[in-house]
Amino acid sequence: MKRIIATSDAPEAIGPYSQAIEVNGTLYISGQIPLNPLTKEIPEGITAQTEQVMENIEAVLKAAGYGFDNVVKSTCFLSDMANFKAMNEVYGKYYETNPPARAAFAVKELPLGVLVEIETIAVKS
């Protein structure tokens, strides 16, 4: 049985999708963009945007009863691979030990013109 996860501590879905779905102890978090859920603002620059994305991921994880230690896979989408190093520095602060598997891609465009979007999979063992 799937459980829909929704929290006001992360941005509302801007389309026909859920913030996250949990099935059989696995949490699938939709791609999070750097939209502040309270102010609806997007911070400037890749460092601030990545920080906001990670805060949004943390809010969804928490709402579902998970934490960063449960994350097994991330997929990072960047508007420009020139931002990879700065994104990686922020991302790494959240996974200092035993980081998850990950892929990172440059894409042509991201929603609302943001610089980064990250989707996440977490598992309860």
Side-chain angles (χ1 to χ4, degrees), residues 1-123:
M1 182 176 203
K2 72 179 180 180
R3 177 171 71 121
I4 307 297
I5 307 300
T7 177
S8 60
D9 293 331
E12 295 178 350
I14 57 174
Y17 62 90
S18 298
Q19 287 175 325
I21 302 286
E22 182 185 39
V23 178
N24 297 326
T26 301
L27 183 67
Y28 301 91
I29 300 177
S30 295
Q32 294 295 304
I33 62 171
L35 184 64
N36 182 301
L38 300 175
T39 66
K40 310 297 187 222
E41 294 177 355
I42 296 169
E44 292 291 323
I46 189 64
T47 299
Q49 286 196 17
T50 305
E51 189 68 46
Q52 184 64 60
V53 166
M54 298 305 291
E55 289 176 16
N56 293 344
I57 291 168
E58 184 172 33
V60 176
L61 286 166
K62 183 178 178 182
Y66 290 71
F68 282 109
D69 57 327
N70 296 112
V71 175
V72 296
K73 174 75 166 69
S74 295
T75 305
C76 304
F77 302 95
L78 297 161
S79 63
D80 186 337
M81 284 307 284
N83 290 327
F84 179 80
K85 182 179 179 186
M87 178 278 299
N88 209 41
E89 288 175 5
V90 174
Y91 178 94
K93 291 190 301 184
Y94 290 84
Y95 301 108
E96 294 186 277
T97 59
N98 302 315
R102 186 182 80 182
F105 303 93
V107 296
K108 182 179 177 193
E109 196 172 348
L110 290 166
L112 304 179
V114 301
L115 304 175
V116 60
E117 178 176 356
I118 300 175
E119 65 178 21
T120 306
I121 300 172
V123 176

